[in-house]
Amino acid sequence: HDPKGSIMLVSAEHELPYHRPQLFSQILGKGKVNSEKLHVHDSDWFKKKHIDLRLGTIVTQFNLERKIAVLANGQAVEFKKACLATGCRARRPQVAGANLGNVFYLRSIRDVLALNEILETEKEIVVVGGGHVACETVAFLCNRQKINVSLMHRGKGLLGRYLDEETS
């Protein structure tokens, strides 16, 4: 709304901003990224809006008094207003084997592409969780032949954040 203002978008992701719920329908089983359907906007849109994209990096420090943000490369950036949108991370269970090579945490495009690579060789897959990402993954995997899919969840029902207890 301010034609004189500027925006810098800093993201640990290496991809343009994308619709996370569409990761599975747009990537799983296809092995590539359909940018038109997945990304919020193409790179030209960000250029036209004069949005300075800083992908593949993070803000490591905020000095609110001096209004300075420090990026991972050490660059200090002055700001008038800042919005800290931390997002979220996949919950990593504190159990033996949680960091083995055949354990995937689905949160980003890279994660889904990694899962895609093993789909042709794996015969059994266990999905842990009962939220949106777990249910989307199970729904996709159940439609594939030759893969036995199991779902493990510690809650009383699935999609507890979105559904009432009886439906869940």
Side-chain angles (χ1 to χ4, degrees), residues 93-159:
Q94 300 299 312
V95 297
N99 292 318
L100 293 174
N102 61 347
V103 176
F104 297 88
Y105 295 91
L106 300 178
R107 187 72 194 134
S108 69
I109 288 176
R110 292 173 117 184
D111 300 333
V112 176
L113 288 171
L115 176 60
N116 232 1
E117 288 182 20
I118 66 150
L119 290 181
E120 298 304 318
T121 59
E122 293 299 321
K123 292 179 176 51
E124 294 189 29
I125 294 180
V126 176
V127 177
V128 178
H132 177 78
V133 172
C135 290
E136 281 282 325
T137 304
V138 168
F140 171 80
L141 294 173
C142 283
N143 288 324
R144 293 186 61 92
Q145 296 176 343
K146 303 177 189 172
I147 296 179
N148 182 18
V149 182
S150 299
L151 175 65
M152 296 174 63
H153 177 54
R154 67 179 175 184
K156 294 179 182 177
L158 301 175
L159 299 169

Side-chain angles (χ1 to χ4, degrees), residues 7 9 13 16-17 44 47 65 71 79 81-83 87 89 93 104-105 108-109 113 128 134 137 139 143 153 157-158:
I7 295 174
L9 178 61
E13 295 267 2
L16 292 170
D44 288 340
K47 289 176 188 170
E65 293 80 32
L71 304 181
F79 61 87
K81 295 180 183 180
C83 173
R89 291 182 176 89
F104 297 88
Y105 295 91
S108 69
I109 288 176
L113 288 171
V128 178
T137 304
N143 288 324
H153 177 54
L158 301 175

